[in-house]
Every structure is written in structure tokens, then in C-alpha cells.
Amino acid sequence: DKSFIQALPQDNRMLPKGYIEHLENILDEVAKQRLLHGNWDYESNPYALLPSYDNICNLFTNSFVEAGPKRYLSLDIAYLGADTFVATTWAGLVVEKVRCIDKIDEVAIGNQIILWAEEDRVPYSNIVYDADGLRKFTANSLKKLTAAKAFNNNAAPIKGKNYGNLKAECAFKLKEIIEADQIYIKDQTYRKQIISDLENICREPLDDEGKIRLEKKSKHKERTGKSPDFFDSLLMRMIFEIKPSGGWG
């Protein structure tokens, strides 16, 4: 009789330092689950927003994408005790800087955004922030940014009638642009976290009305153990691609 004894890379004490981390950076989700975690029956998710791991990795090597003249700042706001606060600065479709703050006091949010906008030369009208669940005090502090765009995830889609809400419409616009290799993330400080977010984003099966929606954040957190804050910051930038002239709210 023969017995199968599973051995994973983590069991090999002779592996060079950094070998496991290197594998995590180059393997797609299916390969990681099978080779690093021993989940041999793991299959690719048919509901994955971005099924191609290569498309995701290309974001960090698409240096041929030229910086555009218009500058943007997209913000996934978080408070003390909440998720991660991610701020992404863009020159056209080139991500020049990604900032990440674990927690921030709600009193400081408005002033911090103003400082970043001045430092990165971003007009207030080219700032978009996640308005869902904003506390009253924070909303008041953001009144200084009168021209900034408040992004409401469950707002009606701007153009795509087949989408269940604005967030889904922007997510699929991001998917379109990523798969066309039109985005370059120049600042690679959070490369690993961004890749993890993007490869784990899923859509829901079509509802009874045939509307396309993303997986609810609560389900995503339960499945992955974290909030996709880097993805959300990238996603909100797409509102300027869908409707460059503004006029939403």
C-alpha cells in the first residue's frame, strides 16, 4: 500500500530566504491555493472580475502608458476603528502615488485631503471620495472641498442600464481599461496589496432583472478576511472616464 503525504514549500526548511514571498508575487490565485496551501481541488472563480492574473500584473509594467495632463485624487476614506484609508494620485491613467493610512481621526480627514491635493497639484473638482457612511462631522469637514465629487456606491449608473448601481458600472469600466493595458501603476509601494485586492474581486450572479452587481463587501470580507480598500480607490477614479464633464451626485 502507498500513502500520500502532502508536503508544501513551507515545510522545506532549506528553501532560500524570500522564496515563499517570491512565489506569492508571481503565482495566480489558483496556483497559490494549490501549490502554497495544498488546496488541490481549487478552481478559478467564474465570477472573478479580473480572471487574468497577467492583466493585473501588467499594471505595474505598463510604463508605455503616458501620464495625462489632468490630475486626479481618488480616496477610500476610513476612520479610527474602520478599514484602511487609501488615497491614489493620478496623472491621467498613470498612478503616481498611493498613500495608505491604517486609521485617521475623522477631525483630520478634510485637512489631510487638502494637503495632499496641494502637494500633488490636484484641482478640487478632480477629487472623488467614498461618501457612503460618512459621519456627520466628517461630512462637515469635507465642505471645504466644495467641488470634490462624493461617490455613492448605490447610486444609479450613469450610462450602463444593465448595472445594478454606480459601483458596478465603475468596476466594469476599470476592468475594461485594465484589460486594454491602459493603466500604469508607477508607485509600487503597495503592489502586493493591490494585486491581492484585484484578484479577489467578484461579481454576483445576475439577479432576476439581469442586473450586474459586485459581491457585497460584507461577503467579500468574510471570504477574504479584509476590505478591498485599494480596489475601491482605483474604482472611483473611473467616474471621470464614464462622465468626464461631471454632473453626477
Side-chain angles (χ1 to χ4, degrees), residues 4 23 32-33 37 52 77-78 81 83 104 107 110 143 147 162 175 180 185-186 188 191 203 208-209 222 229 243:
F4 171 72
L23 287 181
K32 279 193 285 189
Q33 288 294 331
H37 304 296
S52 171
I77 296 175
D83 300 319
I104 187 169
V107 178
K143 286 182 178 178
N162 292 330
K175 169 184 172 70
I185 301 180
K186 187 176 181 180
Q188 305 200 13
R191 181 183 186 275
R203 65 172 178 84
D208 293 340
E209 298 179 352
E222 183 180 348
D229 302 309
K243 194 169 185 181

Side-chain angles (χ1 to χ4, degrees), residues 7 52 60 121 133 145 176 193 220 224 244:
S52 171
F60 301 93
R121 297 172 288 113
L145 300 163
E176 173 192 323
Q193 293 90 329
H220 179 96
T224 66

